[in-house]
Amino acid sequence: MTLKVKHWLYAIFCLLVVGTVLTHRVHTLRVQKAQIARQAKIKRARRQAAKRRAVAVQRNANMRTPINWRKSSETVPYPDLKQAKNLWVKVCLKKNRTYVYDGKHIIYTMYCTGGIYQRDDKTGQMKSLTPTGTYHIQNERGDHFYNAQLNEGANYYVSWLDHGKYLFHSVPTVDNGKYNKAEAAKLGKTQGSHGCVRLSVPDARWFSQNVPVGTKIVVTN
């Protein structure tokens, strides 16, 4: 083997070594970059989770305790719904809570009472008299109604299904217009309605006066 060939082989070997080292270096840098990105993502997720927990703690701190059906559910002012970019409402029947959302963020929480749970003859499971699903606020609303068949009425009602059959409204009243204190005491604690969603008197008034027609309503168990 000539000296020139040896030089060429040595040069090729050196290039291979350098190429291997560079490839390994590039791979290492990519791995490190991916690790840094993952760590940054984890940190962001933790910060966001901590922020959500802090908001939840603050939100719970704003809830009025003990529950008083004559007063607002929160001790802070009601939100200005005109500032909400994506307004919708979620009713959690088992939690006895109604949440007002702006997108993913809860901007107000209300104590509520939904429909009584009864056993479904078809499934054998307990089912609320309040239908679950996605609905929208309808045109029907007013200051007072009374149902003689049920011997029950309420103030500040807003329809969300079947045009007056399923409503948001205040804790119930009796035939003389006075509030049914025994039923009102269930607010935020247990179910009790025939399918409507009961709210405290101030919450129902605010809801009736501020939540616009077409607002999405999500009712869940």
Side-chain angles (χ1 to χ4, degrees):
M1 183 180 296
T2 64
L3 183 61
K4 186 176 182 180
V5 171
K6 289 181 178 180
H7 286 166
W8 274 107
L9 290 174
Y10 179 73
I12 292 171
F13 173 76
C14 291
L15 288 173
L16 289 173
V17 171
V18 171
T20 301
V21 172
L22 290 175
T23 300
H24 177 72
R25 180 60 177 166
V26 169
H27 175 71
T28 301
L29 290 173
R30 287 178 177 174
V31 170
Q32 291 176 342
K33 186 176 180 180
Q35 289 176 340
I36 292 172
R38 282 197 296 270
Q39 291 174 352
K41 185 176 181 180
I42 291 171
K43 288 181 180 179
R44 285 197 300 271
R46 287 175 177 173
R47 286 197 299 268
Q48 291 172 353
K51 185 177 180 180
R52 287 194 295 270
R53 286 194 296 270
V55 170
V57 169
Q58 182 60 49
R59 180 62 62 193
N60 290 332
N62 292 337
M63 297 301 292
R64 189 182 301 281
T65 53
I67 299 171
N68 188 335
W69 56 268
R70 292 185 175 90
K71 296 183 178 181
S72 60
S73 293
E74 292 197 19
T75 57
V76 296
Y78 291 109
D80 181 1
L81 298 187
K82 294 180 181 179
Q83 302 299 319
K85 297 180 180 179
N86 183 17
L87 176 66
W88 63 287
V89 176
K90 182 178 180 180
V91 179
C92 293
L93 296 173
K94 289 183 178 178
K95 290 184 178 180
N96 304 298
R97 298 291 186 274
T98 292
Y99 303 99
V100 181
Y101 277 84
D102 183 3
K104 296 181 179 180
H105 304 288
I106 298 173
I107 57 176
Y108 202 83
T109 301
M110 293 180 284
Y111 295 118
C112 70
T113 296
I116 298 169
Y117 277 80
Q118 296 180 344
R119 191 170 300 280
D120 190 310
D121 293 335
K122 295 181 180 179
T123 64
Q125 297 179 342
M126 299 300 289
K127 184 178 180 181
S128 173
L129 293 179
T130 302
T132 57
T134 300
Y135 310 96
H136 293 83
I137 293 295
Q138 299 175 323
N139 288 315
E140 295 81 9
R141 67 179 68 203
D143 291 337
H144 180 74
F145 76 90
Y146 178 72
N147 187 324
Q149 290 181 330
L150 299 176
N151 188 29
E152 185 174 281
N155 294 324
Y156 312 115
Y157 67 88
V158 179
S159 177
W160 54 272
L161 178 62
D162 289 350
H163 298 284
K165 183 175 181 180
Y166 294 98
L167 311 167
F168 288 97
H169 59 64
S170 73
V171 292
T173 58
V174 292
D175 57 355
N176 61 6
K178 293 183 178 181
Y179 288 106
N180 185 330
K181 294 181 180 179
E183 287 296 314
K186 296 178 180 179
L187 185 71
K189 301 172 184 177
T190 187
Q191 295 76 38
S193 80
H194 299 281
C196 293
V197 179
R198 301 172 179 173
L199 306 172
S200 77
V201 177
D203 287 352
R205 183 190 300 114
W206 173 79
F207 196 96
S208 175
Q209 294 174 350
N210 290 275
V211 178
V213 172
T215 299
K216 184 174 72 173
I217 306 297
V218 179
V219 183
T220 68
N221 273 318

